[in-house]
Amino acid sequence: MTVYWVFFPQTSPRSSPGGRMEHAPNLFVPERALQHRAKHKTSRVYYDGVTRRMPQPTQNFPKADRTATLHVWRRRSADPVPDSTDTPDELWTLSPNGALERSPWQAR
């Protein structure tokens, strides 16, 4: 399974576009990225997926806070890559103590 996501540094304004789409081969990578960005305002980025031959580039996220979210798409290998305008499968948020909370996507 491949996981695709778009990071939104803050809950508001929801109408503003998020960042570029990132992807990884598992759920662990985006979970840690969301938690790290919200806490430290910096993180590795995965625009080219997870690469082992060279270190992942890092990026600053100065507006990130505990209200940051990920719009997440889950895809199998035969499925097409989603577009950021496609309806996400899940919305990932952080609880007040920083734990990941996954919820099915509902029309916003």
Side-chain angles (χ1 to χ4, degrees):
M1 171 179 57
T2 302
V3 181
Y4 296 88
W5 70 92
V6 174
F7 176 71
F8 289 81
Q10 298 173 324
T11 301
S12 296
R14 180 60 70 204
S15 60
S16 67
R20 292 171 44 200
M21 186 171 286
E22 300 175 67
H23 64 281
N26 57 50
L27 299 171
F28 178 78
V29 172
E31 176 181 350
R32 292 294 176 240
L34 176 59
Q35 291 170 329
H36 202 268
R37 291 172 191 184
K39 185 174 183 179
H40 301 288
K41 301 188 183 312
T42 187
S43 165
R44 293 179 177 178
V45 290
Y46 302 92
Y47 302 127
D48 296 323
V50 176
T51 57
R52 297 194 186 276
R53 295 183 184 178
M54 53 194 267
Q56 296 296 135
T58 59
Q59 182 175 328
N60 291 327
F61 296 93
K63 294 183 179 180
D65 62 21
R66 292 272 183 200
T67 65
T69 62
L70 293 183
H71 294 188
V72 179
W73 295 261
R74 294 181 185 211
R75 295 293 185 264
R76 299 190 189 281
S77 59
D79 294 338
V81 174
D83 185 82
S84 61
T85 60
D86 294 344
T87 301
D89 297 316
E90 296 177 337
L91 175 67
W92 289 11
T93 58
L94 296 173
S95 69
N97 67 353
L100 181 70
E101 296 181 343
R102 298 179 189 153
S103 49
W105 184 263
Q106 297 175 358
R108 304 270 179 246

